[in-house]
């Protein structure tokens, strides 16, 4: 998919449920510009979830009837929908082909990888409501009677809040995520963690499975073989980190490109930074070819 300056429309695998319970699934995207690259260069050390919120708030013009898409709206997008939109924006900037390298877990050698974003599995689970009811049996709750639990699906706000904990203790982060997803009106504020703590191992699996079944997902696991040691391995592909790694030019390089175009075309910094990345690089390539032709002619 190529994005024109007028934007393009795609359908979310999940959907955004507003405060009135209306589900919005169409998203109108604007192409990435130098402004977003400048942002990524400036916030190079920021957590990926926060970068995703900022980029989506800038590049998603509308979600259904929701316009504009503010950072608050971007945070409430489901995790799978956020990854899906980043994937579509990545395609707009670089096309479908992906090339990269991963370290072999056996010998440490670098292993080349190549795939098309069109082949990245997207699990669709169209949203129907903001919360979902999960029935738990007596064996799912420690020392308690069977009960129903109201849950919501993980969103960008959860990603941002739990990013530091994920890095330190993934198991504790999962427990904290389950507590954040408890949306039961019968559970007093601050008691969600205690509710999760009273779940048996079977009860936790039931809750995790209920969330997984209802949540859209964009996940890719690659089967690779190391040429050095000959061993095969399965590698999960972190789409979010990879996309930002590709999009993040150094600020110095970006400003050199701006200077180059401003010097030759006399455009303003604002005009150049507001160009889609593809268009800016196309002009730089044309200039390079013209200057090379002139040098040969002389």
């Amino acid at each position: 998919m190529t994005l024109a300056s007028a934007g393009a429309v795609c359908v979310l695998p999940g959907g955004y449920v507003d405060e009135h319970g209306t589900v919005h699934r169409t998203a109108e995207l604007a192409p990435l510009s130098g402004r977003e690259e400048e942002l990524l260069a400036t916030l190079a050390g920021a957590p990926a979830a926060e970068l995703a919120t900022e980029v989506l708030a800038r590049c998603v013009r509308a979600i259904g009837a929701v316009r504009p898409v503010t950072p608050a709206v971007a945070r409430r997008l489901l995790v799978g929908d956020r990854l899906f939109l980043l994937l579509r924006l990545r395609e707009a900037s670089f096309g479908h082909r992906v090339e990269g390298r991963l370290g072999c877990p056996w010998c440490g050698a670098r292993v080349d990888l190549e795939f098309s974003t069109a082949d990245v599995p997207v699990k669709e689970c169209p949203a129907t409501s903001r919360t979902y009811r999960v029935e738990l049996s007596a064996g799912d709750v420690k020392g308690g009677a069977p009960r129903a639990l109201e849950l919501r699906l993980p969103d960008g706000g959860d990603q941002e809040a739990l990013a530091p904990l994920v890095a330190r203790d993934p198991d504790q982060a999962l427990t904290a995520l389950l507590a954040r997803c408890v949306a039961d009106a019968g559970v007093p504020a601050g008691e969600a963690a205690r509710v999760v703590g009273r779940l048996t191992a079977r009860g936790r699996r039931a809750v995790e499975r209920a969330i997984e079944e209802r949540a859209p997902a964009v996940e890719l696991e690659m089967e690779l073989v190391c040429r050095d040691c000959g061993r095969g391995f399965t590698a999960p592909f972190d789409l979010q980190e990879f996309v930002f790694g590709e999009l993040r030019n150094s600020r110095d390089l970006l400003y050199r490109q701006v200077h180059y175009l401003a010097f030759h075309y006399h455009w303003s910094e604002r005009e150049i930074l507001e160009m889609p990345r593809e268009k800016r690089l196309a002009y730089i390539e044309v200039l390079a070819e013209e200057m090379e032709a002139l040098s040969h002619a002389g």
Side-chain angles (χ1 to χ4, degrees):
M1 177 181 67
T2 300
L3 297 181
S5 58
V9 175
C10 59
V11 179
L12 298 176
Y16 178 82
V17 184
D18 64 24
E19 61 273 16
H20 305 295
T22 302
V23 180
H24 306 267
R25 292 195 65 207
T26 58
E28 182 184 341
L29 307 180
L32 287 160
S33 71
R35 292 296 184 192
E36 284 71 57
E37 292 178 63
E38 185 178 38
L39 171 73
L40 291 172
T42 302
L43 303 178
E50 294 181 15
L51 291 177
T53 296
E54 291 297 325
V55 169
L56 293 176
R58 288 167 174 253
C59 295
V60 181
R61 292 175 174 170
I63 300 174
V66 180
R67 182 192 296 264
V69 175
T70 64
V73 171
R75 288 188 186 95
R76 282 192 54 196
L77 284 169
L78 300 179
V79 172
D81 285 341
R82 283 162 60 94
L83 287 175
F84 176 80
L85 289 170
L86 288 176
L87 185 65
R88 298 284 85 86
L89 287 170
R90 191 274 173 196
E91 289 175 350
S93 297
F94 297 102
H96 289 273
R97 186 177 179 183
V98 176
E99 294 180 335
R101 308 186 83 187
L102 291 175
C104 172
W106 301 106
C107 68
R110 306 304 291 175
V111 179
D112 294 329
L113 62 93
E114 181 179 342
F115 63 90
S116 169
T117 54
D119 297 329
V120 174
V122 177
K123 173 192 166 194
E124 293 191 10
C125 288
T128 57
S129 65
R130 297 181 68 178
T131 62
Y132 299 87
R133 188 179 180 87
V134 179
E135 300 290 341
L136 299 174
S137 66
D140 295 331
V141 183
K142 297 174 184 175
R147 62 164 301 171
L149 196 60
E150 201 78 13
L151 298 169
R152 64 170 179 81
L153 301 179
D155 58 23
D158 299 317
Q159 286 184 302
E160 289 189 20
L162 297 176
L165 186 56
V166 170
R168 297 196 310 269
D169 190 335
D171 291 336
Q172 188 178 349
L174 177 57
T175 299
L177 175 62
L178 294 180
R180 289 177 63 91
C181 289
V182 173
D184 199 321
V187 178
E191 291 294 312
R194 185 174 298 178
V195 170
V196 173
R198 292 185 61 236
L199 294 174
T200 63
R202 191 180 78 176
R204 278 188 61 125
R205 285 195 300 272
V207 170
E208 291 170 9
R209 186 165 54 251
I211 290 176
E212 183 178 351
E213 288 174 352
R214 292 169 173 81
V218 181
E219 297 177 338
L220 176 63
E221 286 193 344
M222 294 168 292
E223 299 294 332
L224 302 171
V225 176
C226 177
R227 290 185 178 180
D228 283 35
C229 69
R231 294 182 177 181
F233 62 97
T234 301
F237 190 75
D238 191 327
L239 176 65
Q240 190 168 251
E241 291 286 357
F242 181 77
V243 168
F244 288 136
E246 283 191 311
L247 293 176
R248 187 183 289 121
N249 263 338
S250 71
R251 187 160 44 178
D252 179 65
L253 176 59
L254 176 62
Y255 291 161
R256 285 178 182 274
Q257 292 176 350
V258 171
H259 169 74
Y260 187 68
L261 291 176
F263 181 81
H264 289 281
Y265 288 113
H266 307 291
W267 293 329
S268 68
E269 179 188 62
R270 179 184 60 79
E271 290 173 317
I272 298 169
L273 286 178
E274 289 179 356
M275 284 183 184
R277 178 193 183 105
E278 182 180 6
K279 187 174 184 179
R280 187 183 74 243
L281 295 181
Y283 276 116
I284 291 174
E285 184 177 350
V286 169
L287 274 173
E289 291 174 355
E290 289 292 326
M291 293 177 71
E292 184 178 1
L294 288 173
S295 67
H296 288 316

